[in-house]
Amino acid sequence: MFKILRSSMPVESICIMEVQAERIAKSCLPGQFIIAKIDEEGERIPLTICDYDEKKGTITIVFQIMGASTYRMSKLGVGDGFQDFVGPLGQPSEFTKEPVEELKKKKFLFVAGGVGTAPVYPQVKWLKEHGVDADVIVGAKTKDILILEDEMKKVATNLYITTDDGSYCRKGMVTEVIKDLIENEGKKYDVCVAIGPMIMMKFVCLMTKEFSLPTIVSLNPIMVDGTGMCGACRVTVGGKVKFACVDGPEFNGHEVNFDEAMKRQQLYKTEEGQAYLREKEGNTHHGGCGNCGGEK
Amino acid sequence: MDVNVKVPVREQDPKERAKNFEEVCYGYNKEEAMQESERCLNCKNARCIKGCPVSINIPAFIQEVKAGNFEEASRIISESSSLPAVCGRVCPQESQCEGQCIRGIKGEPVSIGKLERFVADWARENNIKPEGAKEKNGKKVAVIGSGPAGLTCAGDLAKLGYEVTIFEALHKAGGVLVYGIPEFRLPKEKVVSKEIENVISLGVKIETNVIVGRTIKVDELLDEFDAVFIGSGAGLPKFMGIEGENANGVYSANEYLTRSNLMRAFDESYDTPINPGKKVAVVGGGNVAMDAARTALRLGAEVTIVYRRSEEELPARAEEVHHAKEEGIKFNLLTNPVKILVDEKGWVKGMTCVKMELGEPDESGRRKPVKVEGSEFDLEVDTVIMSLGTSPNPLISSTTEGLDINKWKCIVADEEFGQTSKEGVYAGGDAVTGAATVILAMGAGKAAAKGIDEYCKKK
């Protein structure tokens, strides 16, 4: 069992957990993810790595309650654990392979949306530790669901927070902040990394293309094994089919077919939603109203 | 009784079994097994042994069955095979041991597979365990992958006194035996987990949730172990590259089977979602295609196999094709998909196919299918399962220095002992050959165990 050492729900429906996993902590780099499985009956859930600590041998994960398994996971506390916890999966971020001297010449812009703030954090932290500057834009629907603000402040060169409803800091979408920084504040960037909801990444890419700013996105499609075996996570990038788990999860955002990726993400939505309802309301959706598809 | 005919084996009624995941074949009982064993001619120069990739002494074990000495029969089999209950169920006997049987010239060959299965099942029911090493030799070997190649290699090395640790990427040991081959052909609790327990009882340790190449690298394993065996399996599923293939409702057979077998989507108590589909087309003609088709059928779908060659070229085991037909799977042979039709929401609504005819033999020796001009037609389906084989997984080869791969990106290993281009590293099974069978992987695991033993003795 992989023990949970720390667990909290800083905002409604988003959980942060620190999990004991020595081997993963030792080989982990920014950009990678893990798969967790709560128990025998649980699903294999790909999750973002928010932080890792080689000395303590721990991995910090962040997840939003989306379906039956994540709901059950959110009920776990300190001392509980995951039956299975595997990783690190995927390719590390491209910059981790570049010489630090080259990196120091570059200006990075990170754009994080919602839970996407979690995978952005270890990347910015890694750059900070290597003496590389990075500006960070964090977007959230509203003030109450903003996560990791203090942590991000410590590692970002400049942090720009924006909320859709204007309840905190700037008001508006992350794309407006990008435009503002480049056009009105005279900022120049060499690389943009955008991680968040698919729709946000799509619009960030449309905008950065206008500024000819190379942009990397991190995709989180449906997957089963996470090692390349199932092919569920296939995405079209530059007209070619790639597997997000072995070729990604980070890709050139200007080449990703977002519309197809968004459709594929809907694949099990109803199925997962049904399982979630079963968990919350008991086995009430098997009666067969004939409409919800719960009867199988 | 007619000596030219096999003692028939009892099976679940096709109408019944099309609706459940219980095992199709019941196997022989004691009387049936002993009766069938009478048909063995106990050839001096037994051709069946040469047909067996792990060289089981077939006539010797059958003679013991004839005499009712099932324990001794089991001991003889376990000299050569670590997974007899599996092989008795999934080996393509018709092209191996039984294909060589003298009885087969005039009539039907001896039912070697069913006899092996009987002996293995009897041994399990009577709690007969394989014999382990008397003492350890102090050497350590790491085995990557707990499928047929890895389990065989680990079992053989443990019997020789090695301390063996298997690293498995998934959360459950067994590889293709648990994620790929369905319950109705190879029961997981009753058969697979018991065979794995036997390997563990030899002293083999299994660590799940370790992805070699990611969690730990081969070079790190070499610091800790005297030798490494790579039996990591087949890899990434292939797709056709046709229009509409990324639509919702198109799956690789690997995904469909993994959801059902390993993640047990068919069992209500598991959270795993699966969209079984109502009208399913399975593209391909191998064992995996048959498994996917029969799984979809059991999940309630109407299923058609779409295969570009004719029945004669179907690569699946004869028994699987026969069972699939009995259960009501339709076969659209000499047919090839050209496009998947997609509705406005991104879901599959049909598949355009063309009819094919067989032309000249190609490099595989099989007659090459050629498109019949103007033969396009649409199949009405809501789900398409692609079962076209796999290409090698780059996780290990791309993270291990000095490990050569060939032009198909398979790991290069010599056939006799599984030696790779890297000292102390051996490989076998699908990672080397590309997708093949359980028994060939076992044969390779066995060969590598010999190679590793030689290497460690010299070291």
Side-chain angles (χ1 to χ4, degrees), chain A residues 2 23-24 26-27 32 37 40-44 68-69 72 83-91 222-225 227-232 234-236 241 243 245-246 260 263-264 266-268 271-272 275 279 283 286 296, chain B residues 167 169-172 179 207-211 214-217 220 224 235-237 239 245-252 254-255 258-259 262-265 268-276 343-347 393-395:
Chain A
F2 296 82
R23 276 210 178 106
I24 307 176
K26 200 178 158 205
S27 47
Q32 295 184 295
K37 186 168 177 289
E40 176 58 29
E41 287 82 17
E43 287 176 80
R44 292 173 66 91
S69 294
R72 285 210 287 138
Q83 180 184 294
D84 304 288
F85 202 78
V86 63
L89 295 155
Q91 304 276 359
I222 287 164
M223 41 180 94
V224 183
D225 62 292
T227 63
M229 209 177 76
C230 80
R234 58 194 192 275
V235 288
T236 306
V241 175
F243 288 3
C245 68
V246 288
E260 179 190 274
K263 278 181 184 158
R264 287 191 63 76
Q266 301 299 311
L267 200 55
Y268 285 101
E271 286 271 342
E272 272 174 2
E279 185 78 35
N283 202 5
H286 279 275
K296 269 207 308 148
Chain B
F167 296 98
L170 290 171
H171 56 270
K172 204 171 220 150
Y179 77 73
E207 270 199 57
T208 52
N209 297 317
V210 179
I211 302 173
R214 287 269 185 261
T215 317
I216 191 163
K217 299 211 164 67
E220 293 171 77
E224 211 185 311
L236 284 51
F239 289 91
E245 215 170 4
N246 283 356
N248 290 345
V250 182
Y251 304 91
S252 71
N254 264 5
E255 180 186 357
T258 301
R259 282 187 186 275
L262 174 74
M263 304 303 293
R264 306 191 85 73
E268 286 259 326
S269 61
Y270 284 69
D271 291 340
T272 312
I274 192 164
N275 276 316
D343 72 13
E344 66 283 357
K345 283 186 176 154
W347 286 84
N393 195 320
L395 276 184

Side-chain angles (χ1 to χ4, degrees), chain A residues 25 28-30 50-55 95-96 100-101 103-104 108 110 120-134 151-152 154-157:
Chain A
C28 185
L29 282 169
C50 172
D51 206 355
Y52 50 93
D53 187 328
E54 195 186 330
K55 275 197 203 111
F95 63 73
T96 62
V100 175
E101 288 318 306
L103 285 178
K104 281 182 179 166
F108 280 81
F110 285 85
V120 164
Y121 174 68
Q123 301 202 13
V124 181
K125 185 180 169 191
W126 189 96
L127 289 170
K128 165 97 176 168
E129 283 168 359
H130 289 81
V132 182
D133 286 344
E151 288 84 349
M152 202 65 94
K154 286 181 198 151
V155 292
T157 311

